[in-house]
Amino acid sequence: MTTVLPRTTREVRLAAVPEGLPAREHFTVAVTPRPEPGPGQVLERRGLLSPPARTASGQREYGTGEIARVRVIRDLLALGLTIEDLRGCADRLHLLAQDPPPRCGADAPGGPAPGVAGRTLAALDAETDRLAALRENLARRAFGDD
């Protein structure tokens, strides 16, 4: 299930400095655009990246291990896996940063792949079959081939 975040947020702002305890009239509520997450924040929130150390000025400071992990995540997302897929194997993502990465599928190339990779390959195969049938049908209609 995908969670859709609202496009706006509400902020409670101090409208006037009180002389004593603040009351309701000292505050206003403003609707503002939701800020976009910064680099790495989505990965941190989803448990794929640990919150990094901070510099004295509060900026995130990523080490070589974290940078390698982000590259692995980026590459896997580009291959069609989702953040949710990666959450299921987050404890093993560091293994893919090794050079060369360890084999994680069946012994024989082209054999059945386990887990997330197997499900993703099956989905890609099904989509390829669907598109091939669609192309064949379109070609038959467009060019009259039987």
Side-chain angles (χ1 to χ4, degrees), residues 13-78:
R13 297 179 177 172
L14 186 63
V17 178
E19 292 185 27
L21 292 176
R24 188 178 198 115
E25 63 269 11
H26 295 106
F27 298 94
T28 60
V29 176
V31 176
T32 61
R34 179 180 49 86
E36 291 298 319
Q41 288 181 327
V42 170
L43 300 179
E44 289 173 26
R45 289 181 188 157
R46 299 288 191 205
L48 295 175
L49 193 62
S50 297
R54 300 278 183 153
T55 64
S57 63
Q59 294 184 1
R60 288 173 167 77
E61 190 170 52
Y62 294 104
T64 55
E66 290 88 2
I67 292 170
R69 186 177 182 91
V70 168
R71 286 184 178 137
V72 165
I73 292 168
R74 181 196 60 205
D75 292 346
L76 292 172
L77 292 172

Side-chain angles (χ1 to χ4, degrees), residues 91-107:
D91 60 330
R92 298 179 303 280
L93 288 176
H94 67 281
L95 298 173
L96 296 176
Q98 297 174 5
D99 190 24
R103 289 184 53 92
C104 59
D107 290 330

